Amino acid sequence: MQRLFLIPLLFASLAAPRASHAQSPDPADYLFPVCGVQGLYSANFGEMRPNHFHSGVDIKTDGVEGKPLVAVADGYVSRIAVSPSGYGRALYIALDNGTTAVYGHLSRFRDDLEAFVRSERLRQRRNRIDLWCTADRFPVRQGDTVGYSGNSGTSFGPHLHYEIRETATQRTLNTVRLGIVRPKDDLPPTIVRIRYFETDTVRGIPVHTERFACDAVKSDPHTYRLARTAPLEVGPCGHFVVEATDRRNGVANTFGLYRMTQYVDDRPVFEYRMDGFTFDRSRYCNAAAHYPLQVATRHEAIRLAALEGACTDFCPTLVGRGALRTQEGQSHRIRIEAEDDCGNISQIAFTVRGRGARPAACDSLAVVCDRRRTSTLAADEATLTLPAGALYESLCVRPERLSLRPKADTTLILLSPVYRLLDASVPLQKAATVRIRAFVPEKLRPHTTLAVIDRKGRLVNAGGRYDDGTVTARTTQTGPMLVVADTVPPTVRPLFADGADLSRAEGLAFRLGDNFSGIASCELYIDGEWSICDRYPMKGTAFHPFDTPRTQSRHTVRLEASDASGNRTVWTGMFYR
């Protein structure tokens, strides 16, 4: 009897020590996953993004959807998922060689898979679905068509997100470095800038102060020098941050680095290398990078040192956690190599000379947050509780109530002062609990949430619910926060005329919008029956495909859209088909 398993994703977050990684797969085992394309790429493995490493490669589909996708090796379809976010329509094939191929952002699956997914969505009355299959349900042979490329989920244009994972650990692998896919690339990385941060200790807490930033100047395609020629003066303890980027032949996209190695007097003391990771390690990109620089630039800002709470899986060479220690008057020759995943290397070399320490400034009113222990920060009616391990490094913090007023947003009702408990430049590995007490009129309580002010001064939903005079949220967002009420329901606009004859149409299309908290759910009913409705948040649309025969009759339609603040819109109409 064939069986369907609905299995939780717990195993996907299991971490495996570096020493126990499976043997590298043989590149000869794999076909290229997409047919009829030029073989160009828009993103590579391990790129540093806000709060995660990119877990695969993005293959361009020449600006169109519908390119055939093939099984890269023998195996079976182990999982099929449909979601309005993330990978959208995604397919997972467990391969006989012990790896799993992942295909993301599909437009549709092949016919038998599509029929299976449709029947399960209708049976469960769920638009978002995650199905796990046994090995005998959908076996595939290398080269079989399994689906078609698309632009679903969190996708900014037609492409295929492609991963190879170790099946046992779900550790995702660098397919380019392993030679499983082979982009055309003879362009070495570009070294943009070198920054130096001096480290001092204040009240037992490390404080990093930027002392200088120096542009890199290209001497030849593989060699850079600093714009200043004199030795760089450095303190007794510090580290470098390198801003760098990479390009590939034939595309305008920029890519992340594979390796960054620092040598001191020809001795390797630090290396960052991106061969693969389990998904519980992905958020540690916030520590591998210099977070404030990383979120503010298109380059990668790689920190050539490991913070106290950083994951060292990505640091095969780590001497003194990468810190550069220099006595006054002492000189060192620094050389930094940057390598992309195709093996192209650039380097920069310069001399540093030690000078006396420059003590960091100390705020006597700051509160010490020890990353090893739970900490609570408070300012007037606001508190933030950090669990142990939420910070990548212990901090001195001064929570405060601000006299700041956010940029005018007439759709939101502001219900509290603005509080800064943690600065937006501080990333979190684990969610903190934020509580703000505020007077909220009863009719607004179901629609009350927390908002954070982003770097551009805009209000962004941070989640949370009102209860007994307090709005509470668990969030990894940091920065100035306040209580707001969002009472504006989503907008729903059909992309067809009410009562239209849709006999020649492929389906029902709607334009959806929301002012603040975002669409949380979308339910469609045709002639009173629950019907499938695919949502595309990046396009702001929802779509129901016609997959039943035309009857040349009148049909009623009802679309219910709700946002994350509890507001709901119902649109009703009719069509002929």
Side-chain angles (χ1 to χ4, degrees), residues 233-479:
E233 292 192 347
V234 297
C237 181
H239 66 269
F240 293 104
V241 171
V242 179
E243 292 183 51
T245 190
D246 190 45
R247 302 291 293 270
R248 285 185 178 158
N249 301 74
V251 296
N253 306 77
T254 58
F255 298 86
L257 278 293
Y258 165 68
R259 176 179 67 88
M260 187 80 73
T261 306
Q262 176 179 312
Y263 299 83
V264 178
D265 300 327
D266 291 326
R267 177 192 179 204
V269 297
F270 178 88
E271 180 175 295
Y272 163 83
R273 192 168 69 203
M274 178 45 67
D275 287 311
F277 57 88
T278 49
F279 285 87
D280 62 329
R281 298 292 196 257
S282 185
R283 199 174 179 87
Y284 282 105
C285 68
N286 292 336
H290 186 282
Y291 179 80
L293 291 174
Q294 184 66 43
V295 298
T297 179
R298 293 186 63 185
H299 310 136
E300 291 202 325
I302 299 176
R303 189 192 297 269
L304 303 189
L307 300 178
E308 176 189 359
C311 173
T312 58
D313 289 6
F314 314 110
C315 304
T317 301
L318 188 61
V319 178
R321 302 194 72 83
L324 175 65
R325 299 184 182 276
T326 309
Q327 297 179 5
E328 189 169 359
Q330 184 181 43
S331 294
H332 294 291
R333 188 65 175 169
I334 306 298
R335 180 166 60 88
I336 297 170
E337 284 185 354
E339 182 179 4
D340 66 22
D341 50 13
C342 292
N344 302 297
I345 298 174
S346 296
Q347 67 174 353
I348 187 169
F350 52 91
T351 300
V352 298
R353 183 171 57 214
R355 55 152 173 75
R358 296 177 181 172
C362 176
D363 184 347
S364 60
L365 299 179
V367 177
V368 172
C369 290
D370 188 332
R371 65 166 304 276
R372 299 167 299 178
R373 300 177 177 85
T374 297
S375 300
T376 298
L377 304 171
D380 293 345
E381 299 296 322
T383 63
L384 179 146
T385 301
L386 290 163
L391 296 171
Y392 299 105
E393 193 169 47
S394 300
L395 299 172
C396 286
V397 182
R398 185 176 179 180
E400 57 185 335
R401 172 177 168 173
L402 303 177
S403 58
L404 173 69
R405 184 165 182 84
K407 290 182 179 179
D409 187 333
T410 57
T411 67
L412 298 178
I413 301 170
L414 310 186
L415 296 169
S416 79
V418 178
Y419 300 95
R420 182 170 56 206
L421 303 168
L422 270 182
D423 193 84
S425 63
V426 179
L428 297 180
Q429 177 67 18
K430 299 179 182 179
T433 300
V434 181
R435 297 180 177 89
I436 300 180
R437 290 191 59 82
F439 171 74
V440 180
E442 186 172 357
K443 67 178 182 179
L444 297 180
R445 292 172 186 175
H447 311 293
T448 300
T449 184
L450 294 183
V452 64
I453 303 174
D454 70 7
R455 297 192 313 274
K456 296 182 179 180
R458 300 170 301 190
L459 290 173
V460 177
N461 186 31
R465 289 291 181 266
Y466 174 91
D467 182 51
D468 194 25
T470 301
V471 182
T472 303
R474 280 181 51 79
T475 180
T476 54
Q477 297 187 69
T478 56

Side-chain angles (χ1 to χ4, degrees), residues 117-129 522-525 528-533 560:
V117 170
R118 177 182 181 276
S119 66
E120 284 299 313
R121 294 173 82 184
L122 290 172
R123 183 180 70 83
Q124 298 183 37
R125 293 167 60 96
R126 296 181 63 186
N127 288 311
R128 184 193 300 258
I129 201 163
C522 183
E523 303 291 333
L524 179 69
Y525 298 84
E529 296 291 327
W530 187 91
S531 301
I532 290 171
C533 186
E560 302 175 359

